[in-house]
């Protein structure tokens, strides 16, 4: 293990009984006194920004973290990291930077903590990629670490209906289909996002915060707290104190982020109906922690864990409702009591999962309808299915909850970009029974693996959610639902079968049999493959060009250090 900052400071040359050190002089300039040099030095990685409501409340939380670290006898050092707002960049060229930002965040936190020899790190994030980016860094660093979620947004309200950001995207599809007028469209836009916090359903941010709580890297109940509520700031200060305790007792990420912890996270994600993006991110975190995990593990856990939470996007409730109903600890206790969690997994508190959940009832309160019992699930099996076939030899990810018909065979409607597809949907050129193909949007081909919330929301808004399939080598927003399949691997850019699909080809999506099939003979496919050549890279310089050169297949987590 590398020397800590305090160890480095203590090891400076001693002359005539006085430590002479340039770095001590610089630390005095930022507030260190004589007694502070013997204390653990803790980094606070703050993703505060006013780019997005997800992160605009994080500055106050960072201040509470500083207070908690000082109170626990350590010295805080605050630094910033970036964020990209998925919801704002959605449907634009800027969305290509979203997944890239996960790795930029991981690299930034690793760089500062290792460059300054931090003794521990507390990361605070809100928008989708903040969380996996921070956790990848924590796994690489393997110093005591804790994640603090910036908190969920409270739902918007319009005429008795709870709204989220996805409501605004779906309203565009409804407007284009003539189902609502412009006045209603603007009213939804004005009311959907009422203040600070991350998107309110069980979308990617709330999914990942829930996963990290399940893994023991965040405090209990913290993943579903509202950003604007006082308990979120209180929990942040408590997180800081817990981290200092972990530093003193050397509770390291490699003791927490074990195979059991990843299985616990996947079980919770299945139970709450979480985002497809969680598959990609957990694979990447496991890679950083050297824990064996692959797509087939998700399918094995899906088969035994039912969906027991009625949450948006396909359900009725938002994260604040889940919090009132008992939060992730209640979900975990239901799973634990039926042998679906590893109770002996360690948490950042030093206690096991079972010890943390000891006082929580095994049965959800009858006075709520958000969390169901295992005997009365929304769906008998998990919702994130891994589909394979000649169209996805390495695998693909489908969210199959809320889908009335899990099987569709229809003609391919092929688009080379998200923008072209959206135009076709909004202009009424997509019909029931069609299977949309959006390709060259993968990790390397995009590059950046854009999310397809605009097309999928437009499909739902147009009333085609139960009759139109969509397949892409890109990703989906956590707000997406319907007969959609993403993360298709190999992607089109590297010659995956999705690159060989032609307009009108017969395509089968069969969620029941986990099949994604292009119904074209092997001989014809080989002829097409012989004619195919990779497209010209879209970017030659800058971060997207570097990313396209380094990134792995989505089936491996789209990591950037696989072959280094």
């Amino acid at each position: 293990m590398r020397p800590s900052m305090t160890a480095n400071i203590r090891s400076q040359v001693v002359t005539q009984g006085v430590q002479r050190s340039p770095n001590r002089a610089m630390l005095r300039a930022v507030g260190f006194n004589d007694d502070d040099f013997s204390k653990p030095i803790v980094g606070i990685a703050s993703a505060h920004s006013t780019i997005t409501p997800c992160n605009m409340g994080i500055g106050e939380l960072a201040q509470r973290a500083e207070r908690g670290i000082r109170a626990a006898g350590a010295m805080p050092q605050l630094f910033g990291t970036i964020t990209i707002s998925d919801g704002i960049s959605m449907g634009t060229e800027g969305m290509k930077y979203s997944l890239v930002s996960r790795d930029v965040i991981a690299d930034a936190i690793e760089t500062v903590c290792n460059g300054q020899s931090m003794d521990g790190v507390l990361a605070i994030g809100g928008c989708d990629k903040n969380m996996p980016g921070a956790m990848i860094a924590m796994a690489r660093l393997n110093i005591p670490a804790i994640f603090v979620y910036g908190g969920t947004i409270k739902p918007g309200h319009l005429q008795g209906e709870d709204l989220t950001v996805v409501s605004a995207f779906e309203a565009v599809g409804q407007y284009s289909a003539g189902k609502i007028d412009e006045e209603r469209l603007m009213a939804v836009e004005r009311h959907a996002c009422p203040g600070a916090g991350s998107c309110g359903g069980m979308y990617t941010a709330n999914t990942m915060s829930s996963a990290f709580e399940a893994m023991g890297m965040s405090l209990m109940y913290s993943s579903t707290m509202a950003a604007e509520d006082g308990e979120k700031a209180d929990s942040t200060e408590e997180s800081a104190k817990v981290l200092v305790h972990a530093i003193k007792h050397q509770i390291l990420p490699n003791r927490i982020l074990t195979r059991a912890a990843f299985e616990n996270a996947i079980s919770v994600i299945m139970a709450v109906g979480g985002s497809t993006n969680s598959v990609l991110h957990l694979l990447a975190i496991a890679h950083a922690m050297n824990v064996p995990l692959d797509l087939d593990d998700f399918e094995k856990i899906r088969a035994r864990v039912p969906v027991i939470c009625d949450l948006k996007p396909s359900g009725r409730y938002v994260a604040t409702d889940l919090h009132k109903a008992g939060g992730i600890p209640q979900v975990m206790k239901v799973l634990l009591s039926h042998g679906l969690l590893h109770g002996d997994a360690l948490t950042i508190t030093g206690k096991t999962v079972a010890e943390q959940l000891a006082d929580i009832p095994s049965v959800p309160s009858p006075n709520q309808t958000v969390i169901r019992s295992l005997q009365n699930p929304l769906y008998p099996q998990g919702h994130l299915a891994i589909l394979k076939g000649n169209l996805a030899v390495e695998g693909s990810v489908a969210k199959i909850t809320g889908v009335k018909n899990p099987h569709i065979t229809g003609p391919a409607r092929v688009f080379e970009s998200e923008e072209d597809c959206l135009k076709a949907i909004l202009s009424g050129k997509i019909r029931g029974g069609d299977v949309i193909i959006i390709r060259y949007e993968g990790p390397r081909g995009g590059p950046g693996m854009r999310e397809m919330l605009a097309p999928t929301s437009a499909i739902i808004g147009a009333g085609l959610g139960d009759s139109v399939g969509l397949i892409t080598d890109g990703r989906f927003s956590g707000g997406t639902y319907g007969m959609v399949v993403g993360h298709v691997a190999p992607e089109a850019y590297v010659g995956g079968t999705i690159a060989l699909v032609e307009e009108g080809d017969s395509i089968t999506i069969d969620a029941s049999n986990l099949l994604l099939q292009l119904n074209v003979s092997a001989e014809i496919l080989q002829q097409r493959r012989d004619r195919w050549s990779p497209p010209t890279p879209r970017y030659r310089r800058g971060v997207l060009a570097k990313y396209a050169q380094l990134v792995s297949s989505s089936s491996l987590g789209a990591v950037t250090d696989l072959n280094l």
Side-chain angles (χ1 to χ4, degrees), residues 188-411:
V188 172
E189 177 191 311
R190 293 186 180 110
H191 291 84
C193 299
S198 299
C199 301
M202 191 47 68
Y203 310 146
T204 302
N206 286 326
T207 298
M208 297 313 298
S209 69
S210 299
F212 292 173
E213 183 176 329
M215 297 173 91
M217 291 294 289
S218 296
L219 295 190
M220 287 211 313
Y221 297 103
S222 65
S223 66
T224 52
M225 292 175 177
E228 297 180 324
D229 286 351
E231 65 176 347
K232 171 48 66 178
D234 293 342
S235 176
T236 301
E237 187 167 342
E238 179 61 24
S239 296
K241 295 175 181 178
V242 167
L243 175 59
V244 175
H245 175 270
I247 292 171
K248 292 176 180 176
H249 293 84
Q250 284 300 288
I251 303 174
L252 304 178
N254 65 0
R255 296 177 58 195
I256 302 170
L257 295 175
T258 61
R259 170 74 184 206
F262 282 94
E263 291 186 359
N264 284 351
I266 296 169
S267 294
V268 167
I269 288 166
M270 295 295 177
V272 300
S275 166
T276 53
N277 285 309
S278 62
V279 177
L280 194 75
H281 298 325
L282 287 180
L283 289 171
I285 298 163
H287 167 74
M289 198 72 260
N290 291 315
V291 172
L293 191 72
D294 60 34
L295 286 176
D296 292 338
D297 293 317
F298 288 84
E299 187 56 41
K300 291 173 185 174
I301 294 173
R302 184 189 77 84
R304 64 177 183 257
V305 178
V307 180
I308 59 171
C309 294
D310 190 4
L311 298 168
K312 290 180 181 292
S314 59
R316 294 179 292 170
Y317 298 107
V318 295
T320 51
D321 298 316
L322 174 60
H323 190 63
K324 294 172 186 175
I328 295 302
Q330 181 62 80
V331 175
M332 292 177 69
K333 187 56 178 282
V334 172
L335 297 177
L336 180 66
S337 64
H338 289 81
L340 297 173
L341 280 190
H342 299 283
D344 57 350
L346 184 67
T347 73
I348 188 62
T349 65
K351 296 180 180 179
T352 66
V353 166
E355 290 171 336
Q356 290 273 86
L357 301 176
D359 296 331
I360 296 171
S362 299
V363 179
S365 169
N367 299 320
Q368 55 81 43
T369 55
V370 183
I371 307 172
R372 297 193 181 188
S373 68
L374 251 68
Q375 292 75 27
N376 182 35
L378 270 80
Y379 304 96
Q381 293 183 318
H383 64 301
L384 297 181
I386 306 303
L387 275 56
K388 294 184 179 181
N390 69 351
L391 197 50
V393 177
E394 293 178 11
S396 62
V397 183
K399 184 189 286 188
I400 60 175
T401 47
V403 175
K404 292 181 180 179
N405 181 11
H407 181 284
I408 182 172
T409 294

Side-chain angles (χ1 to χ4, degrees), residues 1-12 23 37-41 113-114 116-120 143-144 247 250:
M1 188 170 65
R2 61 159 172 75
S4 68
M5 176 175 273
T6 49
N8 284 339
I9 291 170
R10 292 193 197 102
S11 69
Q12 297 297 319
N23 62 17
F37 291 108
S38 62
K39 298 175 182 177
I41 298 178
C113 289
N114 270 341
Q116 299 301 120
S117 303
M118 298 289 186
D119 296 297
I143 58 176
I247 292 171
Q250 284 300 288

Side-chain angles (χ1 to χ4, degrees), residues 136-157:
I136 289 169
M138 291 172 180
R140 292 178 188 168
L141 290 163
N142 200 36
I143 58 176
I146 195 167
F147 184 81
V148 173
Y149 182 38
T152 185
I153 196 171
K154 293 181 178 180
H157 301 286

Side-chain angles (χ1 to χ4, degrees), residues 411-423:
R413 303 296 309 278
V414 181
F415 301 94
E416 309 299 329
S417 72
E418 176 188 4
E419 289 88 348
D420 291 344
C421 175
L422 183 60
K423 289 177 185 177

Side-chain angles (χ1 to χ4, degrees), residues 516-537:
L516 191 65
Q517 186 77 15
L518 172 59
N519 301 312
V520 172
S521 71
E523 292 76 15
I524 292 176
L525 283 180
Q526 187 58 52
Q527 292 171 10
R528 294 180 184 178
R529 190 175 300 281
D530 292 340
R531 296 193 301 267
W532 179 85
S533 60
T536 302

